[in-house]
Amino acid sequence: MTDDEHNSVPPAPCPGTPDDWRAYLAEYRDWILSFADDSNLAQLRNDGRAGYEPADVQLIEETEERLGVPLPPSLRAFLLTSNGWGRVAGWIESLHSCAGIEWFTDVHDGWVDEDDESDDVFKYGLIVAEGEDLFLLDTSDVLDNGEYRAYLLAVKYGTLSEPCDSFSELLTLGRKELKETFG
């Protein structure tokens, strides 16, 4: 791998199918392992496949029923490929499995002023990945393709990233942060 290949971060993958995600996750795993030496990445070094066992359609539907909202297409396709993942950003330790996806307000009491519309991302946010920071999907901001606006939340600073147009675009943002943190 050349220095340019090692330092580059590909554009948002926007995989549309589990096959697309399998190819992306295999490349992602190899990319992380090319530079990262972190104990949180041990599952990637010791596991020959890219990702965890996939969720099935029934589990995804049960998750949607539990949450009361559909999951966006890119997250659904991801979960059909790998029901969770390890580190996906500098301060995000894990991408949640179906069982771990939860409402921001159920976990972070006191962050939301119910009368403040600028808090909608928190009021309607699903946490899909966490560590010191979080990945949030704003279920009140649905795009024409069924994707939710997505954000990286630096919890200790209370700051949100610029909005991403999909779960998969958010992974690209996390990938840039991961490279800056470890690379």
Side-chain angles (χ1 to χ4, degrees):
M1 182 176 285
T2 68
D3 283 343
D4 285 342
E5 290 171 323
H6 176 74
N7 291 321
S8 70
V9 176
C14 300
T17 68
D19 284 340
D20 293 342
W21 273 109
R22 272 188 283 286
Y24 176 76
L25 292 177
E27 184 278 330
Y28 190 92
R29 177 200 58 215
D30 294 345
W31 175 77
I32 289 173
L33 294 176
S34 73
F35 68 88
D37 183 23
D38 181 273
S39 61
N40 289 323
L41 302 174
Q43 87 276 2
L44 297 176
R45 280 191 289 275
N46 297 327
D47 186 348
R49 61 186 176 82
Y52 300 117
E53 290 297 319
D56 59 28
V57 172
Q58 180 178 347
L59 180 58
I60 292 171
E61 289 172 352
E62 289 169 359
T63 301
E64 292 172 328
E65 186 175 319
R66 173 178 58 85
L67 297 168
V69 295
L71 296 177
S74 62
L75 179 57
R76 281 180 130 263
F78 173 84
L79 292 167
L80 288 168
T81 306
S82 181
N83 191 16
W85 186 261
R87 186 174 292 275
V88 291
W91 305 108
I92 302 266
E93 294 173 10
S94 66
L95 187 57
H96 289 314
S97 65
C98 287
I101 298 171
E102 54 199 337
W103 291 103
F104 181 83
T105 54
D106 288 348
V107 178
H108 295 277
D109 192 35
W111 271 66
V112 176
D113 177 352
E114 290 298 325
D115 298 324
D116 186 349
E117 287 183 24
S118 68
D119 278 356
D120 280 358
V121 69
F122 303 117
K123 284 187 244 183
Y124 304 106
L126 287 177
I127 299 172
V128 296
E130 68 185 309
E132 287 184 43
D133 293 341
L134 306 174
F135 277 178
L136 288 176
L137 303 182
D138 182 358
T139 63
S140 72
D141 194 354
V142 184
L143 303 175
D144 290 342
N145 61 2
E147 293 291 336
Y148 299 134
R149 287 269 187 243
Y151 299 86
L152 173 83
L153 171 64
V155 176
K156 68 181 174 183
Y157 301 114
T159 58
L160 286 172
S161 68
E162 291 296 316
C164 296
D165 288 339
S166 67
F167 163 74
S168 50
E169 185 179 316
L170 186 59
L171 284 183
T172 298
L173 177 66
R175 189 169 177 162
K176 288 177 186 175
E177 185 185 87
L178 189 62
K179 178 62 179 146
E180 290 168 6
T181 303
F182 292 106

